[in-house]
mmCIF file with all atom_site columns, all heavy atoms in Angstrom:
data_model
loop_
_atom_site.group_PDB
_atom_site.id
_atom_site.type_symbol
_atom_site.label_atom_id
_atom_site.label_alt_id
_atom_site.label_comp_id
_atom_site.label_asym_id
_atom_site.label_entity_id
_atom_site.label_seq_id
_atom_site.pdbx_PDB_ins_code
_atom_site.Cartn_x
_atom_site.Cartn_y
_atom_site.Cartn_z
_atom_site.occupancy
_atom_site.B_iso_or_equiv
_atom_site.pdbx_formal_charge
_atom_site.auth_seq_id
_atom_site.auth_comp_id
_atom_site.auth_asym_id
_atom_site.auth_atom_id
_atom_site.pdbx_PDB_model_num
ATOM 1   N N   . MET C 1 38 ? 104.869 105.810 250.926 1.00 98.00 ? 59 MET C N   1
ATOM 2   C CA  . MET C 1 38 ? 104.502 107.227 250.847 1.00 98.00 ? 59 MET C CA  1
ATOM 3   C C   . MET C 1 38 ? 105.304 107.929 249.752 1.00 98.00 ? 59 MET C C   1
ATOM 4   O O   . MET C 1 38 ? 104.750 108.661 248.920 1.00 98.00 ? 59 MET C O   1
ATOM 5   C CB  . MET C 1 38 ? 104.741 107.908 252.200 1.00 98.00 ? 59 MET C CB  1
ATOM 6   C CG  . MET C 1 38 ? 104.460 109.405 252.188 1.00 98.00 ? 59 MET C CG  1
ATOM 7   S SD  . MET C 1 38 ? 104.470 110.109 253.868 1.00 98.00 ? 59 MET C SD  1
ATOM 8   C CE  . MET C 1 38 ? 104.132 111.847 253.465 1.00 98.00 ? 59 MET C CE  1
ATOM 9   N N   . LEU C 1 39 ? 106.620 107.677 249.740 1.00 97.00 ? 60 LEU C N   1
ATOM 10  C CA  . LEU C 1 39 ? 107.473 108.289 248.717 1.00 97.00 ? 60 LEU C CA  1
ATOM 11  C C   . LEU C 1 39 ? 107.032 107.856 247.311 1.00 97.00 ? 60 LEU C C   1
ATOM 12  O O   . LEU C 1 39 ? 106.949 108.674 246.387 1.00 97.00 ? 60 LEU C O   1
ATOM 13  C CB  . LEU C 1 39 ? 108.940 107.877 248.942 1.00 97.00 ? 60 LEU C CB  1
ATOM 14  C CG  . LEU C 1 39 ? 109.645 108.573 250.110 1.00 97.00 ? 60 LEU C CG  1
ATOM 15  C CD1 . LEU C 1 39 ? 110.865 107.778 250.548 1.00 97.00 ? 60 LEU C CD1 1
ATOM 16  C CD2 . LEU C 1 39 ? 110.045 109.994 249.722 1.00 97.00 ? 60 LEU C CD2 1
ATOM 17  N N   . GLN C 1 40 ? 106.738 106.544 247.168 1.00 96.00 ? 61 GLN C N   1
ATOM 18  C CA  . GLN C 1 40 ? 106.324 106.022 245.864 1.00 96.00 ? 61 GLN C CA  1
ATOM 19  C C   . GLN C 1 40 ? 105.044 106.705 245.375 1.00 96.00 ? 61 GLN C C   1
ATOM 20  O O   . GLN C 1 40 ? 104.962 107.158 244.233 1.00 96.00 ? 61 GLN C O   1
ATOM 21  C CB  . GLN C 1 40 ? 106.108 104.506 245.986 1.00 96.00 ? 61 GLN C CB  1
ATOM 22  C CG  . GLN C 1 40 ? 105.913 103.796 244.659 1.00 96.00 ? 61 GLN C CG  1
ATOM 23  C CD  . GLN C 1 40 ? 107.225 103.746 243.865 1.00 96.00 ? 61 GLN C CD  1
ATOM 24  O OE1 . GLN C 1 40 ? 108.238 103.302 244.376 1.00 96.00 ? 61 GLN C OE1 1
ATOM 25  N NE2 . GLN C 1 40 ? 107.200 104.225 242.635 1.00 96.00 ? 61 GLN C NE2 1
ATOM 26  N N   . LYS C 1 41 ? 104.052 106.775 246.266 1.00 97.00 ? 62 LYS C N   1
ATOM 27  C CA  . LYS C 1 41 ? 102.765 107.380 245.888 1.00 97.00 ? 62 LYS C CA  1
ATOM 28  C C   . LYS C 1 41 ? 102.944 108.865 245.546 1.00 97.00 ? 62 LYS C C   1
ATOM 29  O O   . LYS C 1 41 ? 102.315 109.376 244.617 1.00 97.00 ? 62 LYS C O   1
ATOM 30  C CB  . LYS C 1 41 ? 101.756 107.249 247.032 1.00 97.00 ? 62 LYS C CB  1
ATOM 31  C CG  . LYS C 1 41 ? 101.295 105.827 247.313 1.00 97.00 ? 62 LYS C CG  1
ATOM 32  C CD  . LYS C 1 41 ? 100.323 105.328 246.263 1.00 97.00 ? 62 LYS C CD  1
ATOM 33  C CE  . LYS C 1 41 ? 99.721  103.974 246.630 1.00 97.00 ? 62 LYS C CE  1
ATOM 34  N NZ  . LYS C 1 41 ? 99.080  103.331 245.471 1.00 97.00 ? 62 LYS C NZ  1
ATOM 35  N N   . MET C 1 42 ? 103.792 109.549 246.330 1.00 97.00 ? 63 MET C N   1
ATOM 36  C CA  . MET C 1 42 ? 104.000 110.973 246.073 1.00 97.00 ? 63 MET C CA  1
ATOM 37  C C   . MET C 1 42 ? 104.632 111.198 244.703 1.00 97.00 ? 63 MET C C   1
ATOM 38  O O   . MET C 1 42 ? 104.289 112.145 243.998 1.00 97.00 ? 63 MET C O   1
ATOM 39  C CB  . MET C 1 42 ? 104.870 111.608 247.160 1.00 97.00 ? 63 MET C CB  1
ATOM 40  C CG  . MET C 1 42 ? 104.111 111.836 248.467 1.00 97.00 ? 63 MET C CG  1
ATOM 41  S SD  . MET C 1 42 ? 105.163 112.594 249.726 1.00 97.00 ? 63 MET C SD  1
ATOM 42  C CE  . MET C 1 42 ? 105.462 114.191 248.983 1.00 97.00 ? 63 MET C CE  1
ATOM 43  N N   . MET C 1 43 ? 105.568 110.308 244.340 1.00 94.00 ? 64 MET C N   1
ATOM 44  C CA  . MET C 1 43 ? 106.241 110.485 243.051 1.00 94.00 ? 64 MET C CA  1
ATOM 45  C C   . MET C 1 43 ? 105.347 110.084 241.885 1.00 94.00 ? 64 MET C C   1
ATOM 46  O O   . MET C 1 43 ? 105.517 110.559 240.765 1.00 94.00 ? 64 MET C O   1
ATOM 47  C CB  . MET C 1 43 ? 107.550 109.710 243.036 1.00 94.00 ? 64 MET C CB  1
ATOM 48  C CG  . MET C 1 43 ? 108.513 110.279 244.077 1.00 94.00 ? 64 MET C CG  1
ATOM 49  S SD  . MET C 1 43 ? 110.129 109.515 244.004 1.00 94.00 ? 64 MET C SD  1
ATOM 50  C CE  . MET C 1 43 ? 110.716 110.203 242.468 1.00 94.00 ? 64 MET C CE  1
ATOM 51  N N   . GLU C 1 44 ? 104.383 109.205 242.155 1.00 94.00 ? 65 GLU C N   1
ATOM 52  C CA  . GLU C 1 44 ? 103.466 108.780 241.095 1.00 94.00 ? 65 GLU C CA  1
ATOM 53  C C   . GLU C 1 44 ? 102.300 109.748 240.902 1.00 94.00 ? 65 GLU C C   1
ATOM 54  O O   . GLU C 1 44 ? 101.658 109.754 239.856 1.00 94.00 ? 65 GLU C O   1
ATOM 55  C CB  . GLU C 1 44 ? 102.921 107.379 241.401 1.00 94.00 ? 65 GLU C CB  1
ATOM 56  C CG  . GLU C 1 44 ? 103.956 106.280 241.189 1.00 94.00 ? 65 GLU C CG  1
ATOM 57  C CD  . GLU C 1 44 ? 103.484 104.927 241.732 1.00 94.00 ? 65 GLU C CD  1
ATOM 58  O OE1 . GLU C 1 44 ? 102.301 104.812 242.105 1.00 94.00 ? 65 GLU C OE1 1
ATOM 59  O OE2 . GLU C 1 44 ? 104.316 104.005 241.789 1.00 94.00 ? 65 GLU C OE2 1
ATOM 60  N N   . GLY C 1 45 ? 102.001 110.514 241.942 1.00 95.00 ? 66 GLY C N   1
ATOM 61  C CA  . GLY C 1 45 ? 100.861 111.436 241.875 1.00 95.00 ? 66 GLY C CA  1
ATOM 62  C C   . GLY C 1 45 ? 101.105 112.555 240.866 1.00 95.00 ? 66 GLY C C   1
ATOM 63  O O   . GLY C 1 45 ? 102.239 112.986 240.661 1.00 95.00 ? 66 GLY C O   1
ATOM 64  N N   . LYS C 1 46 ? 100.033 113.001 240.220 1.00 95.00 ? 67 LYS C N   1
ATOM 65  C CA  . LYS C 1 46 ? 100.187 114.092 239.259 1.00 95.00 ? 67 LYS C CA  1
ATOM 66  C C   . LYS C 1 46 ? 100.448 115.391 240.024 1.00 95.00 ? 67 LYS C C   1
ATOM 67  O O   . LYS C 1 46 ? 101.340 116.148 239.687 1.00 95.00 ? 67 LYS C O   1
ATOM 68  C CB  . LYS C 1 46 ? 98.918  114.213 238.403 1.00 95.00 ? 67 LYS C CB  1
ATOM 69  C CG  . LYS C 1 46 ? 99.158  115.093 237.198 1.00 95.00 ? 67 LYS C CG  1
ATOM 70  C CD  . LYS C 1 46 ? 98.034  115.024 236.189 1.00 95.00 ? 67 LYS C CD  1
ATOM 71  C CE  . LYS C 1 46 ? 98.322  116.016 235.055 1.00 95.00 ? 67 LYS C CE  1
ATOM 72  N NZ  . LYS C 1 46 ? 97.102  116.534 234.465 1.00 95.00 ? 67 LYS C NZ  1
ATOM 73  N N   . ARG C 1 47 ? 99.653  115.613 241.052 1.00 97.00 ? 68 ARG C N   1
ATOM 74  C CA  . ARG C 1 47 ? 99.841  116.787 241.902 1.00 97.00 ? 68 ARG C CA  1
ATOM 75  C C   . ARG C 1 47 ? 99.717  116.323 243.351 1.00 97.00 ? 68 ARG C C   1
ATOM 76  O O   . ARG C 1 47 ? 99.089  115.301 243.645 1.00 97.00 ? 68 ARG C O   1
ATOM 77  C CB  . ARG C 1 47 ? 98.756  117.831 241.614 1.00 97.00 ? 68 ARG C CB  1
ATOM 78  C CG  . ARG C 1 47 ? 98.750  118.297 240.158 1.00 97.00 ? 68 ARG C CG  1
ATOM 79  C CD  . ARG C 1 47 ? 97.646  119.292 239.894 1.00 97.00 ? 68 ARG C CD  1
ATOM 80  N NE  . ARG C 1 47 ? 96.339  118.698 240.182 1.00 97.00 ? 68 ARG C NE  1
ATOM 81  C CZ  . ARG C 1 47 ? 95.172  119.350 240.075 1.00 97.00 ? 68 ARG C CZ  1
ATOM 82  N NH1 . ARG C 1 47 ? 95.160  120.615 239.699 1.00 97.00 ? 68 ARG C NH1 1
ATOM 83  N NH2 . ARG C 1 47 ? 94.047  118.742 240.350 1.00 97.00 ? 68 ARG C NH2 1
ATOM 84  N N   . ILE C 1 48 ? 100.292 117.090 244.257 1.00 98.00 ? 69 ILE C N   1
ATOM 85  C CA  . ILE C 1 48 ? 100.227 116.732 245.677 1.00 98.00 ? 69 ILE C CA  1
ATOM 86  C C   . ILE C 1 48 ? 99.462  117.822 246.421 1.00 98.00 ? 69 ILE C C   1
ATOM 87  O O   . ILE C 1 48 ? 99.716  119.013 246.237 1.00 98.00 ? 69 ILE C O   1
ATOM 88  C CB  . ILE C 1 48 ? 101.642 116.569 246.263 1.00 98.00 ? 69 ILE C CB  1
ATOM 89  C CG1 . ILE C 1 48 ? 102.370 115.420 245.538 1.00 98.00 ? 69 ILE C CG1 1
ATOM 90  C CG2 . ILE C 1 48 ? 101.585 116.305 247.769 1.00 98.00 ? 69 ILE C CG2 1
ATOM 91  C CD1 . ILE C 1 48 ? 103.823 115.257 245.937 1.00 98.00 ? 69 ILE C CD1 1
ATOM 92  N N   . PHE C 1 49 ? 98.507  117.413 247.231 1.00 98.00 ? 70 PHE C N   1
ATOM 93  C CA  . PHE C 1 49 ? 97.757  118.326 248.084 1.00 98.00 ? 70 PHE C CA  1
ATOM 94  C C   . PHE C 1 49 ? 98.108  117.981 249.530 1.00 98.00 ? 70 PHE C C   1
ATOM 95  O O   . PHE C 1 49 ? 98.198  116.806 249.877 1.00 98.00 ? 70 PHE C O   1
ATOM 96  C CB  . PHE C 1 49 ? 96.252  118.147 247.882 1.00 98.00 ? 70 PHE C CB  1
ATOM 97  C CG  . PHE C 1 49 ? 95.761  118.625 246.541 1.00 98.00 ? 70 PHE C CG  1
ATOM 98  C CD1 . PHE C 1 49 ? 96.128  117.964 245.379 1.00 98.00 ? 70 PHE C CD1 1
ATOM 99  C CD2 . PHE C 1 49 ? 94.947  119.738 246.440 1.00 98.00 ? 70 PHE C CD2 1
ATOM 100 C CE1 . PHE C 1 49 ? 95.691  118.405 244.133 1.00 98.00 ? 70 PHE C CE1 1
ATOM 101 C CE2 . PHE C 1 49 ? 94.509  120.189 245.198 1.00 98.00 ? 70 PHE C CE2 1
ATOM 102 C CZ  . PHE C 1 49 ? 94.873  119.525 244.040 1.00 98.00 ? 70 PHE C CZ  1
ATOM 103 N N   . VAL C 1 50 ? 98.309  118.991 250.370 1.00 98.00 ? 71 VAL C N   1
ATOM 104 C CA  . VAL C 1 50 ? 98.556  118.720 251.782 1.00 98.00 ? 71 VAL C CA  1
ATOM 105 C C   . VAL C 1 50 ? 97.467  119.381 252.610 1.00 98.00 ? 71 VAL C C   1
ATOM 106 O O   . VAL C 1 50 ? 96.908  120.404 252.223 1.00 98.00 ? 71 VAL C O   1
ATOM 107 C CB  . VAL C 1 50 ? 99.944  119.239 252.245 1.00 98.00 ? 71 VAL C CB  1
ATOM 108 C CG1 . VAL C 1 50 ? 101.056 118.634 251.413 1.00 98.00 ? 71 VAL C CG1 1
ATOM 109 C CG2 . VAL C 1 50 ? 100.008 120.757 252.214 1.00 98.00 ? 71 VAL C CG2 1
ATOM 110 N N   . MET C 1 51 ? 97.167  118.772 253.767 1.00 98.00 ? 72 MET C N   1
ATOM 111 C CA  . MET C 1 51 ? 96.164  119.375 254.647 1.00 98.00 ? 72 MET C CA  1
ATOM 112 C C   . MET C 1 51 ? 96.415  119.001 256.098 1.00 98.00 ? 72 MET C C   1
ATOM 113 O O   . MET C 1 51 ? 96.986  117.954 256.404 1.00 98.00 ? 72 MET C O   1
ATOM 114 C CB  . MET C 1 51 ? 94.743  118.995 254.218 1.00 98.00 ? 72 MET C CB  1
ATOM 115 C CG  . MET C 1 51 ? 94.426  117.507 254.239 1.00 98.00 ? 72 MET C CG  1
ATOM 116 S SD  . MET C 1 51 ? 92.727  117.214 253.594 1.00 98.00 ? 72 MET C SD  1
ATOM 117 C CE  . MET C 1 51 ? 92.550  115.453 253.905 1.00 98.00 ? 72 MET C CE  1
ATOM 118 N N   . GLY C 1 52 ? 96.004  119.888 256.976 1.00 97.00 ? 73 GLY C N   1
ATOM 119 C CA  . GLY C 1 52 ? 96.141  119.688 258.413 1.00 97.00 ? 73 GLY C CA  1
ATOM 120 C C   . GLY C 1 52 ? 95.446  120.847 259.102 1.00 97.00 ? 73 GLY C C   1
ATOM 121 O O   . GLY C 1 52 ? 95.263  121.904 258.497 1.00 97.00 ? 73 GLY C O   1
ATOM 122 N N   . ALA C 1 53 ? 95.079  120.657 260.369 1.00 94.00 ? 74 ALA C N   1
ATOM 123 C CA  . ALA C 1 53 ? 94.407  121.728 261.110 1.00 94.00 ? 74 ALA C CA  1
ATOM 124 C C   . ALA C 1 53 ? 95.323  122.219 262.228 1.00 94.00 ? 74 ALA C C   1
ATOM 125 O O   . ALA C 1 53 ? 96.160  121.466 262.726 1.00 94.00 ? 74 ALA C O   1
ATOM 126 C CB  . ALA C 1 53 ? 93.086  121.223 261.694 1.00 94.00 ? 74 ALA C CB  1
ATOM 127 N N   . GLY C 1 54 ? 95.167  123.473 262.626 1.00 92.00 ? 75 GLY C N   1
ATOM 128 C CA  . GLY C 1 54 ? 95.954  124.013 263.729 1.00 92.00 ? 75 GLY C CA  1
ATOM 129 C C   . GLY C 1 54 ? 97.446  123.898 263.461 1.00 92.00 ? 75 GLY C C   1
ATOM 130 O O   . GLY C 1 54 ? 97.918  124.199 262.376 1.00 92.00 ? 75 GLY C O   1
ATOM 131 N N   . ARG C 1 55 ? 98.205  123.454 264.484 1.00 92.00 ? 76 ARG C N   1
ATOM 132 C CA  . ARG C 1 55 ? 99.648  123.348 264.325 1.00 92.00 ? 76 ARG C CA  1
ATOM 133 C C   . ARG C 1 55 ? 100.047 122.289 263.289 1.00 92.00 ? 76 ARG C C   1
ATOM 134 O O   . ARG C 1 55 ? 101.055 122.441 262.606 1.00 92.00 ? 76 ARG C O   1
ATOM 135 C CB  . ARG C 1 55 ? 100.307 123.082 265.686 1.00 92.00 ? 76 ARG C CB  1
ATOM 136 C CG  . ARG C 1 55 ? 100.360 124.368 266.539 1.00 92.00 ? 76 ARG C CG  1
ATOM 137 C CD  . ARG C 1 55 ? 100.755 124.119 267.992 1.00 92.00 ? 76 ARG C CD  1
ATOM 138 N NE  . ARG C 1 55 ? 101.876 123.260 268.167 1.00 92.00 ? 76 ARG C NE  1
ATOM 139 C CZ  . ARG C 1 55 ? 103.089 123.639 268.609 1.00 92.00 ? 76 ARG C CZ  1
ATOM 140 N NH1 . ARG C 1 55 ? 103.304 124.892 268.940 1.00 92.00 ? 76 ARG C NH1 1
ATOM 141 N NH2 . ARG C 1 55 ? 104.043 122.762 268.751 1.00 92.00 ? 76 ARG C NH2 1
ATOM 142 N N   . SER C 1 56 ? 99.257  121.250 263.132 1.00 95.00 ? 77 SER C N   1
ATOM 143 C CA  . SER C 1 56 ? 99.547  120.268 262.081 1.00 95.00 ? 77 SER C CA  1
ATOM 144 C C   . SER C 1 56 ? 99.378  120.897 260.702 1.00 95.00 ? 77 SER C C   1
ATOM 145 O O   . SER C 1 56 ? 100.047 120.492 259.742 1.00 95.00 ? 77 SER C O   1
ATOM 146 C CB  . SER C 1 56 ? 98.617  119.052 262.207 1.00 95.00 ? 77 SER C CB  1
ATOM 147 O OG  . SER C 1 56 ? 98.918  118.320 263.377 1.00 95.00 ? 77 SER C OG  1
ATOM 148 N N   . GLY C 1 57 ? 98.498  121.875 260.601 1.00 96.00 ? 78 GLY C N   1
ATOM 149 C CA  . GLY C 1 57 ? 98.327  122.598 259.348 1.00 96.00 ? 78 GLY C CA  1
ATOM 150 C C   . GLY C 1 57 ? 99.571  123.409 259.018 1.00 96.00 ? 78 GLY C C   1
ATOM 151 O O   . GLY C 1 57 ? 99.954  123.537 257.845 1.00 96.00 ? 78 GLY C O   1
#
Side-chain angles (χ1 to χ4, degrees):
Chain C
M59 177 170 179
L60 285 160
Q61 190 71 53
K62 292 285 187 196
M63 284 180 66
M64 296 186 71
E65 287 170 9
K67 194 169 176 210
R68 301 178 300 178
I69 298 174
F70 290 68
V71 303
M72 61 184 186
R76 284 169 46 110
S77 292

